[in-house]
Amino acid sequence: LQITKGRGGEAAVGFGCGFAAGFACKQVQAMATKAVFAAGILTAGAYYKGYLKDEQLDHFKSKVEGAVEDATAMLPRFLKLADIDGDDKITAADGKMALSKVAPFAQKHAGFSGGLAGGLLAGYQIG
C-alpha cells in the first residue's frame, strides 16, 4: 500500500500525523487544567468544612513547593537542549541553526511538512 505516492499522499499523511499530535496536545492540556482546578476547589471545600487542618495544609504546601523546586531544577537541562550554539543563551541564532537542520527535510517533503503544520493547527483547534 503506497498512499504516499506524490505530494497529495505526503500531505495527507502529514495532515493525519499533525492532527493527531494537535488533538492529543489539546486533550492533555484540558485534562491538566481540569485536574488542577478540581484539586483546588476540593481542597478549599475540605478546609472550609473542617476536614483539613492547618498542619495538613502546611504539609501539602511543602509537597507542592518540593515539586516546583524539582521542576525548576530540570529546566536548565531543557534550556541546554535548546541552546544549539552553546553560548548559554537562547537567541535567534539558535532558532536559525535549528531551522537550518530542519529545512532540508521540509524542502524535500514539502507536502508532508505543509500537511503536518495544517493538521497540527486543525487538531489543536478541534481538540
Side-chain angles (χ1 to χ4, degrees):
L1 181 68
Q2 291 188 358
I3 61 170
T4 60
K5 267 191 166 182
R7 298 279 187 209
E10 277 189 12
V13 170
F15 186 85
C17 292
F19 187 88
F23 189 84
C25 182
K26 183 72 173 250
Q27 294 301 314
V28 168
Q29 176 190 11
M31 274 193 318
T33 301
K34 290 173 186 170
V36 168
F37 183 74
I41 295 293
L42 290 173
T43 303
Y47 182 74
Y48 178 77
K49 287 289 195 176
Y51 296 121
L52 289 176
K53 306 293 182 226
D54 288 337
E55 308 86 46
Q56 292 168 313
L57 286 180
D58 289 339
H59 177 71
F60 178 71
K61 180 181 174 186
S62 68
K63 290 284 189 186
V64 170
E65 288 172 347
V68 169
E69 288 172 8
D70 291 345
T72 304
M74 289 172 48
L75 187 60
R77 287 192 290 170
F78 290 112
L79 292 177
K80 190 170 185 170
L81 289 173
D83 181 27
I84 297 172
D85 59 6
D87 64 352
D88 293 331
K89 296 178 193 166
I90 310 284
T91 60
D94 294 314
K96 289 178 184 175
M97 291 176 78
L99 186 59
S100 71
K101 291 180 179 182
V102 175
F105 177 84
Q107 289 172 346
K108 185 176 179 184
H109 302 285
F112 179 82
S113 302
L116 183 72
L120 187 66
L121 293 173
Y124 189 82
Q125 185 68 30
I126 291 173

